[in-house]
Amino acid sequence: MGTPFKRYHIAPVWRGENPQAGRYREFVQCDFDTIGTKSNAADIETLFIIHDLMLKIGFTDFKIRVNNRMILNGLLQLHNLESQSAAVLRALDKLAKSSPEAVIQEMQEQGGLTQQQAEQILALMTAQGTTAEILDSLESQLKGNERGTQGVLNLRELFTAVERAGIPAERVVLDTSIARGLDYYTGTIYET
């Protein structure tokens, strides 16, 4: 087989850990994967698949929230916090269900961050404004960090592709609060 290799699969899957409230041990999951490439085109194609899939199953009022883990990883690298990344990511992943103060406290207690470090990371992860304004701000804050800058460039390319494809802007939203607490997320991440 050549690369990139693309596949999809729809089948029952099981959680390896104890399910949290509102989650089931067994559920049906649709996976579509591309392996063997680091090209941003694969991430853009993933977004198009999510968008087209939602339309095909009958949804028209939905949002695909997008972020890129290189941005957060770059920020952690800039502040010499890479060794605390797991604790920081776990805390940030709770932002939708927890108060900002609780997330800051968890980053301090579990990750050993100072109040100022935790507040800086949270400010970056809760940036507000237009997509262009947020990306400009991120680029400025990550200046000098190759990984973070590449994450911003990948998102710029993705949003340009969305616009050129004619996907309504309200369906694809930059959401810097999406962190995904697992280490295998390294590039563009989505929540729909």
Side-chain angles (χ1 to χ4, degrees):
M1 284 276 154
T3 56
F5 175 74
K6 299 176 185 183
R7 65 166 291 270
Y8 73 92
H9 183 82
I10 301 172
V13 294
W14 294 265
R15 292 188 195 281
E17 73 279 355
N18 291 327
Q20 299 169 347
R23 294 182 160 214
Y24 299 100
R25 180 168 298 282
E26 179 183 356
F27 57 98
V28 174
Q29 181 168 304
C30 172
D31 290 316
F32 47 94
D33 303 298
T34 303
I35 60 171
T37 181
K38 291 183 179 186
S39 170
N40 196 35
D43 286 335
I44 294 169
E45 185 178 39
T46 297
L47 185 135
F48 289 172
I49 291 168
I50 294 168
H51 179 266
D52 291 353
L53 178 64
M54 295 300 286
L55 291 176
K56 291 282 187 190
I57 59 177
F59 291 105
T60 55
D61 185 17
F62 61 89
K63 285 190 184 344
I64 303 170
R65 297 167 45 226
V66 182
N67 196 11
N68 191 297
R69 273 288 295 274
M70 285 189 269
I71 292 168
L72 180 58
N73 292 342
L75 180 69
L76 293 173
Q77 197 174 45
L78 269 175
H79 293 283
N80 296 317
L81 297 170
E82 286 181 289
S83 62
Q84 292 99 313
S85 68
V88 170
L89 294 170
R90 273 193 304 274
L92 287 171
D93 224 18
K94 296 175 183 167
L95 193 55
K97 300 174 187 172
S98 211
S99 71
E101 294 78 20
V103 171
I104 288 171
Q105 183 177 353
E106 184 173 335
M107 283 193 279
Q108 290 176 277
E109 291 173 1
Q110 303 298 318
L113 277 70
T114 66
Q115 174 91 18
Q116 183 181 9
Q117 289 171 323
E119 287 174 355
Q120 284 179 324
I121 289 170
L122 188 64
L124 183 72
M125 295 296 104
T126 56
Q128 298 293 311
T130 66
T131 299
E133 290 169 345
I134 294 170
L135 290 173
D136 288 346
S137 174
L138 291 171
E139 192 168 42
S140 172
Q141 293 178 58
L142 292 162
K143 194 171 191 158
N145 182 273
E146 188 177 329
R147 181 186 294 170
T149 301
Q150 185 61 53
V152 172
L153 291 174
N154 285 1
L155 287 177
R156 285 191 193 280
E157 187 178 8
L158 181 141
F159 279 96
T160 298
V162 164
E163 182 181 340
R164 288 185 180 158
I167 295 174
E170 64 274 7
R171 286 193 187 148
V172 183
V173 179
L174 176 58
D175 184 344
T176 55
S177 71
I178 302 171
R180 297 273 127 281
L182 302 171
D183 287 339
Y184 59 78
Y185 290 98
T186 57
T188 303
I189 49 180
Y190 313 91
E191 287 187 4
T192 305

